[in-house]
Amino acid sequence: GGNITYDVQIQNTSPVDTVTITSLLDSLVFGAVPDPDCAVPFDLLPNQSINCNYTWPVSGNSGDTITNVVEATGKDDDGRIVFDTGAATVTIIGQQPQLKVVKIAVPPAVLEAGGEVTYIVAIQNNSTSTDPVTITGLTDSVDGGTPVPLDSVGSCNISNPQLELQPAPGPDSYYLCSFTQTLGPGTALDTVIDEVEATGVDDDGTSVSATDQATVTYVNSPFSDLELSVAKIASPTEVPEPGEL
């Protein structure tokens, strides 16, 4: 949705009678047209017109149409009631959903003999609209090889129940999982590039996908995390529901 500017013109089409406008209503506003220049009552001389301008928000799903009607009512100088209506329609168009995927390799290096690497995968719905995204696929490929489904691999589970992500920010906008792979022998400084792809569809049926890569490097000597220390602190450690990022 968004803000729409409406331009309403009211004209007295009589060539001789003055018309007093006593009511100017908008169905979307549920009341009087919110333009102080068009506050009733006001007079329109023969063939005179007035323009009213105002902005009002509309919202809906892709393909929805929002029609609002303005009705002007008044009396001419002979006491006869006059009125007319005008309508304007706005169509809601779909916005392309957006996913963001982040993949981390732990550890980022293995000895030439090979070893186990745990991959952490994070998926977030970064759509600018309010549409949720249902994750329909999560695959992994090594060095450009054939993608392998990750559903039910490690802690990754997108189908039971079906994973649905709400738009960020919020606790339901992201998903984390991990899985472990054993890398075979390699040569020092060689790398293994592992790519994960998440695919999904929003509630308007629009498809979306995103990828990210993690690189593991072979080394010829043991490495240690004792040479680097990383600490992370959350403050506060508790928040009231529903939470906030």
Side-chain angles (χ1 to χ4, degrees), residues 57-141:
V58 299
S59 61
N61 290 317
S62 177
D64 288 351
T65 55
I66 312 297
T67 300
N68 73 312
V69 178
V70 169
E71 180 186 63
T73 305
K75 290 183 179 182
D76 67 11
D77 50 14
D78 297 318
R80 292 175 297 188
I81 294 177
V82 294
F83 74 93
D84 196 15
T85 61
T89 298
V90 174
T91 301
I92 305 295
I93 58 175
Q95 291 184 307
Q96 180 67 34
Q98 295 180 0
L99 287 178
K100 182 177 182 180
V101 174
V102 174
K103 186 173 188 180
I104 301 172
V106 182
V110 294
L111 294 175
E112 291 177 294
E116 287 191 347
V117 176
T118 296
Y119 293 98
I120 301 172
V121 178
I123 312 169
Q124 186 171 50
N125 178 2
N126 278 359
S127 301
T128 56
S129 67
T130 59
D131 294 338
V133 171
T134 299
I135 303 302
T136 56
L138 185 63
T139 60
D140 181 75
S141 63

